[in-house]
Amino acid sequence: MTDATSGDGTRSGSTAQPVGAKGPDELRQQIEQTRSQLGDTVEELAGKADVKGRAKARAADLRDKAGAMTVQLRSSAAQAGHTVQGRASRAGHAVQDRAGQAGHAVQDKAGRAGHTVERRVPERARGALRSGLAHPRAVLVAGAAAGAVVAAGAVVAAGVLRRRRHGPC
């Protein structure tokens, strides 16, 4: 099969080389250039025909990208964890500070109330009040005992009222 030459001396379908060489050196140069182009073309075709090689190269690229993404995600997760930990720590300290302030405020108010009550209580009862403040457990036990007596009296009174309304069982 031969290529037809056009009027300007080039072959149709080729990459525009003049047909005739003007001497042996020019002919050798054209042959070398054609061999080089042919080698490049064969190399490209071989690369396209090597499906298995291209698939392996693509798989290696994807593996590398997945590894890089894994490292990036781990780094992001670690950074997010540190951020959350810092915020939680700051929030805990803020709550602790507020609780301390509230506790001090309650102590101050209780102290002022105690002093106010102490000033208003008659002189005879101040001794008992000081004794109660000095021994809060004893006051608590006495209060519980008084509450138990009141509760027992309420139960007895309820039983008496029920018997009066409904009569003896």
Side-chain angles (χ1 to χ4, degrees):
M1 179 166 127
T2 61
D3 287 337
T5 53
S6 60
D8 62 352
T10 59
R11 293 184 191 178
S12 63
S14 69
T15 54
Q17 288 295 331
V19 173
K22 299 203 173 158
D25 290 335
E26 192 175 330
L27 183 61
R28 284 187 191 107
Q29 187 180 7
Q30 286 178 359
I31 291 171
E32 279 301 315
Q33 190 175 6
T34 303
R35 280 184 184 160
S36 175
Q37 290 173 350
L38 184 61
D40 292 343
T41 303
V42 168
E43 208 174 287
E44 286 178 28
L45 289 173
K48 289 181 180 179
D50 186 16
V51 176
K52 186 175 181 182
R54 287 185 5 213
K56 284 183 179 181
R58 178 77 173 140
D61 285 346
L62 291 175
R63 252 192 317 273
D64 290 345
K65 285 181 183 178
M69 288 284 257
T70 301
V71 169
Q72 186 179 5
L73 287 174
R74 285 183 180 166
S75 174
S76 296
Q79 185 178 5
H82 290 302
T83 301
V84 168
Q85 186 178 14
R87 287 180 182 173
S89 176
R90 286 191 297 275
H93 288 294
V95 167
Q96 192 175 17
D97 289 345
R98 287 183 192 136
Q101 290 171 356
H104 290 302
V106 167
Q107 263 185 335
D108 291 343
K109 286 183 181 180
R112 284 192 300 259
H115 292 302
T116 301
V117 167
E118 196 172 283
R119 282 192 300 264
R120 291 183 182 171
V121 172
E123 188 62 38
R124 294 180 199 164
R126 283 187 189 171
L129 179 65
R130 285 189 191 122
S131 178
L133 289 174
H135 305 287
R137 266 197 196 145
V139 173
L140 181 65
V141 170
V149 168
V150 169
V155 168
V156 170
V160 169
L161 287 175
R162 186 181 316 141
R163 283 191 199 126
R164 283 187 185 170
R165 284 187 194 151
H166 300 297
C169 295

